């Protein structure tokens, strides 16, 4: 294995640019809400409360939604051993280790910082992967923690969540109170709705673009850290194939958290919708890993870990 995760300057620049653009959008959105709603106190309180809830409790929300639970070393000694080894090599504080009782093979990392991170794998993943493949997946997830892109995605997605909530509120308000509103109030709600939709669309595209790049960056970092990109490629191929066999209707609950997954719960490779996907295509990821494998002079087929 290599020493530590390599820094990724291109990822850092992209994260900074995305946050800068979203910050400008955020300031404009808040200003528009204050002007339209004529109450900066209400806007500040609501936005502050939502931000705190998403940023500080994002890990708990994700764990609850995916039925994850913290597991101790006595229960999953092999899983803890792999995480311990990778963290020692990468010079990372050990995250909380969790397992989700889902048959869908996948993994995710969440948390606002390296000191408050959670790495969670599903029982479906543990059951299907060889040790070397599992190591590659865990290295991928730990790289998200090291690069701090989990926290960046959490912060960046807040604006989209806020705009989406405003859109829903505006729709419900119009539906249930249209008969009691005058023309001026209706115009204000229409303006709020229009601004919110525009903000949601722009933030959606910015976050998706960053998300696709961060997955490629995590693949690179994991492959370089473990020195076995073909093991990670094998895990990607296996997990994507298994998810593709799961009916789409059974994946819908999990799809809300696609941005955090090792492989998206889409059930198929995207077509035109790849431009709106949280992940690059499987072909892109495998091509990159093949190039890294050639650079490292790795054998085509990884040996099985004991």
């Amino acid at each position: 294995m290599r020493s530590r995760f390599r820094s990724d300057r291109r990822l850092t620049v992209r994260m900074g640019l995305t946050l800068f653009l979203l910050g400008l959008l955020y300031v404009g959105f808040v200003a528009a809400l204050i002007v339209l709603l004529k109450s900066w106190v209400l806007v500040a309180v609501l936005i502050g409360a939502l931000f705190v809830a998403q940023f500080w409790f994002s890990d708990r929300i994700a764990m609850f939604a995916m039925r994850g639970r913290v597991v101790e070393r006595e229960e999953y000694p092999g899983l803890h051993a792999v995480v311990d080894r990778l963290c020692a090599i990468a010079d990372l504080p050990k995250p909380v280790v969790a397992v989700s009782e889902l048959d869908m093979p996948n993994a995710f990392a969440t948390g606002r910082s390296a000191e408050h991170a959670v790495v969670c794998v599903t029982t479906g993943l543990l059951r299907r992967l060889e040790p070397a493949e599992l190591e590659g997946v865990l290295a991928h997830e730990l790289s998200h923690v090291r690069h701090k892109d989990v926290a960046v995605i959490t912060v960046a997605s807040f604006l989209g969540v806020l705009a989406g909530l405003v859109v829903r509120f505006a729709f419900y308000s119009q539906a249930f109170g249209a008969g009691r509103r005058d023309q001026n109030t209706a115009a204000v709600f229409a303006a709020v709705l229009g601004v919110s939709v525009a903000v949601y669309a722009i933030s959606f595209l910015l976050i998706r673009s960053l998300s696709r790049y961060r997955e490629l960056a995590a693949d690179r970092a994991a492959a370089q850290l473990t020195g076995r990109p073909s093991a990670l490629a094998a895990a990607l191929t296996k997990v994507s194939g298994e998810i593709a066999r799961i009916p789409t209707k059974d994946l819908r609950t999990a799809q809300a958290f696609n941005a955090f997954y090792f492989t998206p719960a889409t059930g198929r490779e995207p077509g035109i919708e790849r431009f709106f996907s949280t992940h690059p295509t499987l072909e892109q990821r495998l091509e990159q890993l093949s190039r890294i494998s050639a650079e490292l002079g790795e054998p085509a087929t990884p040996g099985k870990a004991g």
Side-chain angles (χ1 to χ4, degrees):
M1 290 188 179
R2 306 306 169 94
S3 177
R4 301 192 180 187
F5 285 113
R6 294 184 183 180
S7 60
D8 194 315
R9 187 167 299 176
R10 288 178 295 173
L11 176 61
T12 301
V13 170
R14 284 173 180 255
M15 289 193 298
L17 179 61
T18 299
L19 286 178
F20 175 74
L21 293 175
L22 286 172
L24 292 179
L25 194 62
Y26 176 78
V27 170
F29 184 49
V30 171
L33 288 181
I34 292 174
V35 170
L36 292 169
L37 299 179
K38 295 181 172 61
S39 175
W40 69 267
V41 175
L42 174 64
V43 172
V45 169
L46 288 177
I47 290 177
L50 288 171
F51 179 79
V52 168
Q54 178 159 350
F55 187 66
W56 264 268
F57 301 106
S58 60
D59 53 343
R60 299 182 191 179
I61 294 170
M63 288 277 284
F64 175 79
M66 297 314 300
R67 291 183 279 169
R69 63 184 180 86
V70 176
V71 295
E72 301 300 330
R73 184 182 304 276
E74 294 74 20
E75 190 175 0
Y76 284 89
L79 177 61
H80 272 271
V82 176
V83 174
D84 284 339
R85 185 167 65 253
L86 289 172
C87 287
I89 294 166
D91 193 25
L92 270 177
K94 184 180 179 180
V96 172
V97 179
V99 170
S100 169
E101 300 293 335
L102 290 178
D103 188 56
M104 177 190 70
N106 228 317
F108 65 89
T110 185
R112 63 183 184 272
S113 67
E115 290 73 26
H116 300 87
V118 177
V119 171
C120 180
V121 298
T122 66
T123 53
L125 186 82
L126 294 174
R127 192 162 51 250
R128 290 174 172 90
L129 296 190
E130 298 291 336
E133 296 166 352
L134 177 63
E135 181 181 73
V137 172
L138 289 171
H140 172 104
E141 295 306 326
L142 288 172
S143 77
H144 284 311
V145 176
R146 171 62 180 84
H147 292 153
K148 302 179 181 178
D149 56 66
V150 172
V152 170
I153 284 290
T154 299
V155 172
S157 63
F158 169 70
L159 184 57
V161 170
L162 177 62
L165 289 174
V166 172
V167 169
R168 289 188 184 185
F169 176 75
F171 270 125
Y172 287 135
S173 297
Q174 286 293 88
F176 294 108
R180 299 190 299 274
R181 290 200 172 90
D182 57 27
Q183 191 171 3
N184 289 336
T185 304
V188 169
F189 270 88
V192 169
L193 180 62
V195 170
S196 300
V197 168
V199 167
Y200 179 82
I202 295 171
S203 61
F204 178 91
L205 293 174
L206 287 172
I207 293 167
R208 289 301 190 274
S209 177
L210 174 61
S211 181
R212 289 192 295 274
Y213 188 83
R214 84 182 186 110
E215 293 301 331
L216 290 172
D219 285 346
R220 282 196 301 272
Q224 291 162 350
L225 181 74
T226 63
R228 289 187 281 189
S230 59
L232 180 56
L236 269 170
T237 303
K238 188 178 292 186
V239 170
S240 298
E242 291 289 335
I243 291 178
R245 296 188 183 97
I246 302 174
T248 302
K249 62 182 178 64
D250 296 333
L251 296 174
R252 284 174 185 159
T253 301
Q255 286 172 352
F257 294 91
N258 269 349
F260 294 96
Y261 282 140
F262 170 64
T263 300
T266 55
R268 58 188 175 83
E269 276 293 288
I272 188 65
E273 60 269 29
R274 69 182 181 277
F275 297 108
F276 310 106
S277 175
T278 56
H279 289 62
T281 64
L282 177 61
E283 286 75 15
Q284 287 177 295
R285 299 177 76 175
L286 293 180
E287 285 174 8
Q288 175 180 249
L289 290 172
S290 179
R291 290 194 301 270
I292 296 174
S293 182
E295 291 169 4
L296 296 177
E298 184 199 23
T301 303
K304 291 183 181 180

